[in-house]
């Protein structure tokens, strides 16, 4: 076997066995009224930034109304708090730099906010309608 053929086989082996397979479309789930602490796991990635702001899946117009806070850090970790009593699916597009070859990695993360059955509330109104109180 020639050196060239042996070297070609070696390169093919190294390429196939060292390919970084990453999820550029991670999914997360959180219950309504809870804070999600998540991380976009991508080996070798750094400097994560938002490509497109958080939006409700299928409705870009409602994006600013459905979350109270959202923060993506350069290491890929993030926190998200949806609006109170809101549930549905939110999406955000991100990109990062691959530290091994300085290429840009693009992805879309999906966050499902699960509905929670809130306990009932009782409202008591005094006879003069001057004050209202609530309790469980």
């Amino acid at each position: 076997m020639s050196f060239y053929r042996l070297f070609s086989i070696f390169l093919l082996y190294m390429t196939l066995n060292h390919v970084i397979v990453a999820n550029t479309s991670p999914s997360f789930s959180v219950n309504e009224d809870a804070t999600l602490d998540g991380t976009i796991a991508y080996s070798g990635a750094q400097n994560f930034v938002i490509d497109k702001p958080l939006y409700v899946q299928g409705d870009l117009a409602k994006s600013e109304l459905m979350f109270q806070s959202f923060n993506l850090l350069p290491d890929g970790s993030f926190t998200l708090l949806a609006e109170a009593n809101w549930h549905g699916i939110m999406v955000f597009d991100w990109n990062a730099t691959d530290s091994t070859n300085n290429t840009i990695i693009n992805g879309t993360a999906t966050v499902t906010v699960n509905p929670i059955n809130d306990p009932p509330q009782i409202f008591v109104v005094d006879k003069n309608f001057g004050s209202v109180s609530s309790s469980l």
Side-chain angles (χ1 to χ4, degrees):
M1 185 178 291
S2 72
F3 174 76
Y4 175 76
R5 181 160 171 81
L6 185 60
F7 186 71
S8 297
I9 292 171
F10 173 76
L11 286 178
L12 179 62
Y13 171 79
M14 292 300 290
T15 302
L16 293 176
N17 286 300
H18 292 89
V19 171
I20 298 173
V21 177
N23 185 3
T24 58
S25 300
S27 295
F28 302 93
S29 180
V30 64
N31 289 335
E32 171 184 308
D33 302 330
T35 300
L36 171 63
D37 293 314
T39 301
I40 301 168
Y42 193 106
S43 179
Q46 61 188 10
N47 301 323
F48 283 82
V49 294
I50 295 295
D51 256 357
K52 188 186 310 178
L54 193 69
Y55 56 94
V56 176
Q57 190 171 31
D59 192 351
L60 292 171
K62 291 185 178 178
S63 63
E64 295 180 26
L65 305 174
M66 298 302 126
F67 67 94
Q68 293 178 22
S69 65
F70 177 67
N71 187 28
L72 176 65
L73 299 176
D75 67 356
S77 62
F78 67 92
T79 58
L80 168 68
L81 178 60
E83 280 294 322
N85 297 315
W86 184 85
H87 58 274
I89 298 174
M90 291 188 219
V91 178
F92 65 94
D93 296 337
W94 57 270
N95 71 47
T97 305
D98 186 331
S99 62
T100 58
N101 58 12
N102 290 326
T103 58
I104 300 296
I105 307 157
N106 295 303
T108 300
T110 303
V111 179
T112 302
V113 180
N114 304 310
I116 299 295
N117 191 11
D118 294 327
Q121 293 182 338
I122 299 171
F123 292 94
V124 179
V125 181
D126 74 4
K127 64 182 178 180
N128 298 322
F129 298 99
S131 65
V132 176
S133 62
S134 67
S135 64
L136 293 178

